[in-house]
Coordinates of all heavy atoms in Angstrom, one line a residue:
T1 N 273.0 119.0 -26.4 CA 271.9 119.8 -27.1 C 270.6 119.0 -27.1 O 270.6 117.9 -27.5 CB 272.3 120.1 -28.5 OG1 273.6 120.8 -28.5 CG2 271.3 121.0 -29.2
V2 N 269.6 119.6 -26.6 CA 268.3 118.9 -26.4 C 267.3 119.4 -27.4 O 267.0 120.6 -27.5 CB 267.8 119.2 -25.0 CG1 266.5 118.4 -24.8 CG2 268.8 118.7 -23.9
P3 N 266.7 118.5 -28.2 CA 265.7 118.9 -29.1 C 264.4 119.3 -28.4 O 264.1 118.8 -27.3 CB 265.4 117.7 -30.0 CG 265.9 116.5 -29.1 CD 267.0 117.1 -28.2
S4 N 263.7 120.3 -28.9 CA 262.5 120.7 -28.2 C 261.2 120.2 -28.8 O 260.1 120.6 -28.3 CB 262.5 122.3 -28.1 OG 262.5 122.8 -29.4
D5 N 261.3 119.5 -29.9 CA 260.1 119.0 -30.5 C 259.6 117.8 -29.9 O 260.2 117.2 -29.0 CB 260.3 118.8 -32.0 CG 261.4 117.8 -32.3 OD1 261.6 116.9 -31.5 OD2 262.1 118.0 -33.4
D6 N 258.4 117.3 -30.4 CA 257.8 116.1 -29.8 C 258.5 114.8 -30.0 O 258.2 113.8 -29.5 CB 256.4 116.0 -30.3 CG 255.5 117.1 -29.7 OD1 255.9 117.7 -28.7 OD2 254.4 117.3 -30.2
G7 N 259.6 114.9 -30.8 CA 260.4 113.7 -31.0 C 261.3 113.3 -29.9 O 261.8 112.2 -29.8
A8 N 261.5 114.3 -29.0 CA 262.3 114.1 -27.8 C 261.5 113.4 -26.7 O 260.2 113.4 -26.8 CB 262.9 115.4 -27.3
G9 N 262.2 112.8 -25.7 CA 261.5 112.2 -24.6 C 260.8 113.2 -23.7 O 261.2 114.4 -23.8
P10 N 259.9 112.8 -22.8 CA 259.3 113.8 -22.0 C 260.2 114.7 -21.2 O 260.1 115.9 -21.1 CB 258.4 112.9 -21.0 CG 258.1 111.7 -21.9 CD 259.4 111.5 -22.7
R11 N 261.2 114.1 -20.5 CA 262.1 114.9 -19.7 C 262.9 115.8 -20.5 O 263.1 117.0 -20.2 CB 263.0 114.0 -18.9 CG 263.9 114.7 -17.9 CD 264.8 113.7 -17.1 NE 265.6 112.9 -18.0 CZ 266.8 113.4 -18.6 NH1 267.2 114.6 -18.3 NH2 267.4 112.6 -19.4
E12 N 263.3 115.4 -21.7 CA 264.1 116.2 -22.6 C 263.3 117.4 -23.1 O 263.8 118.5 -23.3 CB 264.6 115.4 -23.8 CG 265.8 114.4 -23.4 CD 265.3 113.2 -22.7 OE1 264.1 112.9 -22.7 OE2 266.1 112.4 -22.2
Q13 N 262.0 117.2 -23.4 CA 261.1 118.3 -23.8 C 261.0 119.3 -22.7 O 261.1 120.5 -23.0 CB 259.8 117.7 -24.2 CG 259.7 116.9 -25.5 CD 258.3 116.5 -25.8 OE1 257.4 117.3 -25.9 NE2 258.1 115.2 -26.1
L14 N 260.8 118.9 -21.5 CA 260.7 119.9 -20.4 C 262.1 120.6 -20.1 O 262.1 121.8 -19.8 CB 260.2 119.2 -19.1 CG 258.9 118.5 -19.2 CD1 258.4 118.1 -17.8 CD2 257.8 119.4 -19.9
L15 N 263.1 119.8 -20.3 CA 264.5 120.4 -20.1 C 264.7 121.5 -21.2 O 265.2 122.6 -20.8 CB 265.5 119.3 -20.3 CG 267.0 119.7 -20.3 CD1 267.4 120.6 -19.1 CD2 267.9 118.4 -20.3
A16 N 264.3 121.2 -22.4 CA 264.5 122.2 -23.5 C 263.7 123.5 -23.1 O 264.1 124.6 -23.4 CB 264.0 121.7 -24.8
L17 N 262.5 123.3 -22.6 CA 261.6 124.5 -22.2 C 262.3 125.3 -21.1 O 262.3 126.5 -21.1 CB 260.3 124.0 -21.8 CG 259.4 123.5 -22.9 CD1 258.1 122.8 -22.4 CD2 258.9 124.7 -23.8
S18 N 262.9 124.6 -20.1 CA 263.6 125.3 -19.1 C 264.8 126.1 -19.6 O 265.0 127.2 -19.2 CB 264.0 124.3 -18.0 OG 262.9 123.8 -17.3
L19 N 265.5 125.5 -20.5 CA 266.7 126.2 -21.1 C 266.2 127.4 -21.9 O 266.8 128.5 -21.8 CB 267.5 125.2 -21.9 CG 268.2 124.1 -21.2 CD1 268.8 123.1 -22.2 CD2 269.4 124.7 -20.4
H20 N 265.2 127.2 -22.6 CA 264.7 128.3 -23.4 C 264.2 129.5 -22.6 O 264.4 130.7 -22.9 CB 263.5 127.8 -24.3 CG 262.8 128.9 -25.1 ND1 263.3 129.5 -26.2 CD2 261.6 129.6 -24.8 CE1 262.5 130.4 -26.7 NE2 261.5 130.5 -25.9
A21 N 263.6 129.2 -21.4 CA 263.1 130.2 -20.5 C 264.2 130.8 -19.6 O 263.9 131.7 -18.8 CB 262.0 129.6 -19.6
G22 N 265.4 130.3 -19.7 CA 266.5 130.8 -18.8 C 266.4 130.3 -17.4 O 267.1 130.9 -16.5
H23 N 265.7 129.2 -17.1 CA 265.7 128.7 -15.8 C 266.7 127.6 -15.6 O 266.5 126.4 -15.8 CB 264.3 128.2 -15.4 CG 263.3 129.2 -15.1 ND1 263.4 130.0 -14.0 CD2 262.3 129.7 -15.8 CE1 262.4 130.9 -14.0 NE2 261.7 130.7 -15.1
A24 N 268.0 128.0 -15.4 CA 269.1 127.1 -15.4 C 269.0 126.1 -14.2 O 269.3 124.9 -14.4 CB 270.4 127.9 -15.2
R25 N 268.5 126.5 -13.1 CA 268.3 125.5 -12.0 C 267.3 124.4 -12.3 O 267.6 123.3 -12.0 CB 267.9 126.3 -10.7 CG 269.1 126.9 -10.0 CD 268.8 127.2 -8.5 NE 267.8 128.3 -8.4 CZ 267.2 128.7 -7.3 NH1 267.4 128.0 -6.2 NH2 266.4 129.7 -7.3
A26 N 266.2 124.8 -12.9 CA 265.2 123.8 -13.3 C 265.8 122.9 -14.3 O 265.6 121.6 -14.2 CB 264.0 124.5 -13.9

């Protein structure tokens, strides 16, 4: 489970955005 707030690292923040947007490949 990846946090989406600014407390996460850069890659984790972008990963959370991809999951939220439904872009599983990204």
Side-chain angles (χ1 to χ4, degrees):
T1 302
V2 180
S4 59
D5 58 33
D6 288 343
R11 186 181 57 80
E12 287 78 10
Q13 290 183 51
L14 300 189
L15 173 52
L17 288 166
S18 292
L19 290 172
H20 175 79
H23 284 290
R25 278 198 291 172

